[in-house]
Amino acid sequence: MASASHVTIRKRVAVFFLLVSFVIVGLIGRLGYLQFYRSAWLTENATDQRVRDIPVEAKRGIIYDRLGRELAISVSAESVYAIPAEIRNPEETAAKLAAILALDPNNLASKLKKRQAFTWIKRKLDAETARQVKILNLPGIGLTQESQRYYPHDNLASHVLGFTGVDSQGLDGVEMTFDSYLRGRSGSIVVEYDARGREIPYANHRYVPPVDGQNIYLTIDLVIQQIVERELDRIMQETQARAATIIIMQPQTGEILALANKPDYNPNRFAEYAPKLWRNNAVSNAYEPGSTFKIITTAAALGEHVVKLEDRFFDPGSIEVQGRNIHCWKHGGHGSQSFVEVVQNSCNVGFVTVGLRLGTDPFYQYIDKFGFGRHTGIDLPGEAKGIMIDKAKVKPINIATMSIGQSIAVTPIQLVNAVAAVANDGKLNRPQIVREVKDKNSQLIREFQPDVVRQVLEEAVAKQEKGVLEKVVEEGSGRNAAVEGFRVAGKTGTAQKVGAGGYLPDKYVASFVGFAPADNPQVAMLVIIDEPVGLYYGGQIAAPVFGAVMKDVLPYIKLTPQIAAAAKDGKEVHTEVPQVINLPVAEATKVLQKAGLTVRLEETGERVADQIPKPGSRVPKGTNVLLYTDSSRYLTGEITVPDCAGLSLADATNVLTDVGLIISPVGSGNNVVKQDPVPGSKASPGMSVSVFFE
């Protein structure tokens, strides 16, 4: 019996040791698994429980015009974040926040219950909403400052500048193409907490400072851009066109001085506009250029010496090519004329004859050299290549129609760049939209030099063509583009739009492209008016726009009139545009006329809502200032915030209350040093304006 009991005990001990060994092996296995396979996950979760990493956004770089005037800046805005581990009652917290932030309380509560160290609630609030959140003082809810993009000139140059997203990332325009320079690098604030969510007093807190973005200087000139947009607004209203575009380029450098499309949008509120309005037609739209393309046909013909200026042509009114009659725009034709007169009169029959004489290979060679059918390389997103017939499939009828600007689609930037090459003695440049990049200490980071792509014409041929194009404005179809005192060269264009079933009735594109002064071009410009109502010939509606813009731009860039010695004997011919926003129309008119400026009034209304050129711009005397009052361009009930800088408390109070705003003085002192919202921004009636005194 004793022996059996002893055996039983030994068996029980063996089983016990086996069980203990199994447990130990399991524990060792589990320890190894945690140590080698789950260590990173455990470390991360432990860090999340005790460390709060609050992001600090970098300040986005400023975008300036060529003379250092601000076009896009960053202003401070408060953003709400949550640390779910510190929130005691998610439902109650969500209900209170949702009431202020206009969020769904159920969705917000679910967000606050998630196991995460940090989450955004709502980004970039207005000052009043941020103040209300601060007053609540909710556990686990905090506010941090971020940068918000602000465009002080609203719609101006919107298709050049583009806009940014909620994370201050560039989404369009220069904001996108130069995002790597502008964006900077975010920083963070790292704080350690104990198991109960209390900040550890002597823990290793760390602040990683953000690195601000670099500043961009564009080739755009603010005043020239204002002049261009002023004329586009006018022509859109007068012609009821579907769209319009103007590009101004410096021929010697390829720098874009102004680029604008209408209709446009306000990048401060880009989400409120249809995405199609964001499209930059100047670089993204391909269209049949019509007779403006005859500049390229002329260049090819003169360059290949297939025609001389004195060669004679006879135009009976039409010409037959492969069984198809191509008509001249003039009923009955132009009769006998020299090649110079063919260009002056924009004679289709003469150009078809020259195009056929030129032939496929040489014509395509010049089309390619001038940059059609390929990207120009401008630093703006969405550039199109245009549309060309495959050279292997081209027929004589195609050459005939291409020679007059049909059967080929080009982009506006391609065409103005090609014409600028003629103006630049045959040298084709890459279009430039940015001059330089600097850091916040104004140290040069990158500089953009003129980029000559190729010599497309002999210098002598280019000078010959410049003389011919000058005759177009002096005596031909471009007379309405003339500018008193200056020699101007250019070419009109009128193209009927094509649809699925052929040419569309009553749908035309009117255009004018040219440069000045003709003998030493400093400015090249293209004007396009898409689907005008009523008059549609380029010489009738596009050429006058060209002349009106040049009339103000040439004196602004300090060019002295060449003809009839129209100089002012050294007297000051420039003046500063006064601030007339919010003034009664009659008073605004007097102020502008006193400054030597003329007034063009848009719409009806008692007070001025906006003006172009903007206040403070230096422009030639006699420049038209476009005044807007009540118009669909402005939202109903919006007020333009006046500039109170330098005013006393009493004067600032009068200025703000006169336009329906409430003053909120901050600080003590005699004069206003800054204000929020900034001058020129839009506000609702009765809104409070914080005015800071020193």
Side-chain angles (χ1 to χ4, degrees), residues 346-565:
S346 196
C347 175
N348 285 345
V349 171
F351 272 100
V352 168
T353 304
V354 168
L356 293 172
R357 189 184 296 179
L358 190 62
T360 301
D361 286 340
F363 197 13
Y364 265 75
Q365 181 184 357
Y366 276 87
I367 288 173
D368 181 65
K369 285 200 298 184
F370 272 107
F372 298 105
R374 64 174 71 179
H375 295 135
T376 65
I378 188 171
D379 290 318
L380 288 172
E383 185 181 6
K385 291 182 178 180
I387 305 170
M388 291 175 55
I389 300 171
D390 188 342
K391 183 180 171 183
K393 299 178 181 178
V394 76
K395 300 174 182 178
I397 184 62
N398 302 131
I399 295 296
T401 53
M402 286 170 68
S403 67
I404 59 174
Q406 298 174 6
S407 303
I408 186 171
V410 307
T411 64
I413 192 65
Q414 285 176 338
L415 184 59
V416 74
N417 198 43
V419 173
V422 175
N424 191 30
D425 293 333
K427 291 189 283 290
L428 182 76
N429 286 305
R430 183 177 75 86
Q432 306 271 18
I433 198 71
V434 173
R435 298 191 89 187
E436 57 192 14
V437 181
K438 292 183 177 180
D439 64 18
K440 63 180 182 181
N441 299 317
S442 297
Q443 295 298 309
L444 187 65
I445 303 298
R446 183 179 176 187
E447 186 176 19
F448 293 81
Q449 299 290 344
D451 184 3
V452 179
V453 179
R454 68 182 73 87
Q455 185 83 30
V456 296
L457 281 180
E458 295 176 8
E459 187 175 334
V461 173
K463 288 183 177 178
Q464 193 177 32
E465 183 167 13
K466 283 190 276 187
V468 174
L469 294 175
E470 186 178 0
K471 288 287 186 183
V472 174
V473 177
E474 283 182 355
E475 304 172 22
S477 59
R479 288 188 184 92
N480 288 330
V483 180
E484 185 179 355
F486 291 95
R487 296 170 59 182
V488 178
K491 184 73 188 73
T492 58
T494 307
Q496 191 169 8
K497 298 184 78 171
V498 180
Y503 285 101
L504 302 172
D506 301 322
K507 291 190 182 296
Y508 294 87
V509 177
S511 57
F512 187 92
V513 64
F515 46 84
D519 56 332
N520 182 26
Q522 300 299 308
V523 179
M525 180 180 4
L526 170 64
V527 179
I528 300 173
I529 305 169
D530 186 11
E531 293 186 23
V533 176
L535 294 176
Y536 57 81
Y537 284 109
Q540 293 176 316
I541 59 174
V545 175
F546 179 97
V549 173
M550 281 290 190
K551 173 181 170 289
D552 289 339
V553 169
L554 295 176
Y556 170 73
I557 61 175
K558 297 181 171 56
L559 287 183
T560 305
Q562 305 162 284
I563 303 167

Side-chain angles (χ1 to χ4, degrees), residues 150 152-154 269 579-583 607-611 614-615 628-630 633-644 655-661 675 677-685 687 689:
Y150 176 66
H153 301 287
D154 292 330
R269 306 192 308 267
Q579 159 77 275
V580 296
I581 294 173
N582 289 320
L583 290 180
R607 286 185 178 273
V608 177
D610 200 2
Q611 64 181 90
K614 298 292 185 182
Y628 292 93
T629 55
D630 302 329
R633 174 179 171 131
Y634 302 97
L635 300 176
T636 304
E638 280 194 333
I639 295 171
T640 304
V641 178
D643 188 357
C644 298
V655 167
L656 292 171
T657 53
D658 278 350
V659 298
L661 298 172
Q675 64 185 83
V678 296
S681 57
K682 299 295 184 289
S684 302
M687 182 175 173
V689 177

